[in-house]
Amino acid sequence: MEGESAVGTVTNEAEVTLAERIRAGDRSAEDELVNTYRRGVFVIAVARTRDREAARDLTQEVLIAILEALRDGQLRELAKLSAFIQGTARNIINNYLRMRAHRAECELDIEAHSTDPVDELEFLERRRLVRRELATFSVTDQQILLLSLVDGQSLAEVARTLNMSHDAVRARKSRAVRKITKKFARLSQK
């Protein structure tokens, strides 16, 4: 059917007449446009946003924008009023969705941000220094420390994993831990 769209069913002749009346300042024509197209714009807005409250606000925003554009003579082809309304609705809803994505709301975790920045910086510096020191250890010593201290494996499990004797693993871990402890004990005294 000619003039049929998702936002309403109006013939091209009726669209032209309605647009001309609005351009001429006829307030009853504005009410007619709102009554004719409000439901269709609302349906589109609900479908796109999945939020009835936002859809109500967007419907009003779209209709106001359409009325202002028609009053200002911005619609060149009056017979394409329905397409103009659909395009305006699409643009306004897309802008809303873009803005909502940029301003994604999340709960503010006050406790996570209440740490002392000096403590945080000191912790990060210690971690950097430990990593740098660990990089000087042999790959085997690094694996022993990783498996025992980080992964929580027993020394017997570490020995099996690395195909080494239990005594060798214990001695290497002890030496590495002692070396790190001694180095950082000096740093903390400075």
Side-chain angles (χ1 to χ4, degrees), residues 64-115:
I64 289 169
I66 294 297
L67 290 172
E68 288 174 351
L70 290 174
R71 289 176 195 146
D72 294 343
Q74 293 177 5
L75 178 59
R76 292 186 190 101
E77 296 181 50
L78 301 180
K80 295 188 177 182
L81 179 61
S82 291
F84 182 68
I85 293 172
Q86 284 179 327
T88 302
R90 182 185 63 245
N91 291 339
I92 289 174
I93 293 167
N94 285 345
N95 287 341
Y96 166 80
L97 293 172
R98 257 192 308 279
M99 292 301 294
R100 187 173 73 178
H102 289 299
R103 292 183 294 153
E105 294 181 16
C106 64
E107 299 230 358
L108 183 60
D109 187 2
I110 302 296
E111 289 182 27
H113 300 288
S114 64
T115 60

Side-chain angles (χ1 to χ4, degrees), residues 10 43 54 61 104 108-109 112 114 137 179 182:
V10 179
V43 168
E61 190 175 336
L108 183 60
D109 187 2
S114 64
F137 289 9
K179 183 179 175 186
K182 187 175 181 181

Side-chain angles (χ1 to χ4, degrees), residues 10-174:
V10 179
T11 63
N12 282 349
E13 186 178 311
E15 285 183 343
V16 170
T17 304
L18 185 60
E20 286 173 341
R21 288 174 44 214
I22 291 171
R23 186 183 290 174
D26 183 348
R27 296 292 179 194
S28 66
E30 291 179 1
D31 290 341
E32 186 179 328
L33 179 130
V34 168
N35 291 332
T36 302
Y37 292 100
R38 177 190 296 131
R39 186 170 186 276
V41 171
F42 179 73
V43 168
I44 291 170
V46 168
R48 296 287 313 282
T49 64
R50 307 218 183 281
D51 179 346
R52 293 182 75 77
E53 284 303 311
R56 281 189 191 90
D57 292 342
L58 288 167
T59 299
Q60 283 199 310
E61 190 175 336
V62 167
L63 292 172
I64 289 169
I66 294 297
L67 290 172
E68 288 174 351
L70 290 174
R71 289 176 195 146
D72 294 343
Q74 293 177 5
L75 178 59
R76 292 186 190 101
E77 296 181 50
L78 301 180
K80 295 188 177 182
L81 179 61
S82 291
F84 182 68
I85 293 172
Q86 284 179 327
T88 302
R90 182 185 63 245
N91 291 339
I92 289 174
I93 293 167
N94 285 345
N95 287 341
Y96 166 80
L97 293 172
R98 257 192 308 279
M99 292 301 294
R100 187 173 73 178
H102 289 299
R103 292 183 294 153
E105 294 181 16
C106 64
E107 299 230 358
L108 183 60
D109 187 2
I110 302 296
E111 289 182 27
H113 300 288
S114 64
T115 60
D116 184 6
V118 172
D119 290 342
E120 183 72 19
L121 288 172
E122 288 175 351
F123 169 77
L124 292 172
E125 179 63 12
R126 281 191 304 270
R127 188 168 72 181
R128 185 185 67 77
L129 291 171
V130 168
R131 285 184 180 192
R132 191 171 73 189
E133 184 64 25
L134 286 173
T136 67
F137 289 9
S138 70
V139 173
T140 304
D141 287 347
Q142 288 180 26
Q143 288 178 321
I144 291 169
L145 292 173
L146 176 70
L147 293 171
S148 65
L149 298 176
V150 177
D151 293 346
Q153 291 185 15
S154 69
L155 293 180
E157 292 171 317
V158 173
R160 273 194 303 277
T161 302
L162 299 177
N163 199 21
M164 296 173 66
S165 73
H166 181 271
D167 289 336
V169 169
R170 185 174 40 79
R172 290 181 86 146
K173 177 184 176 189
S174 180

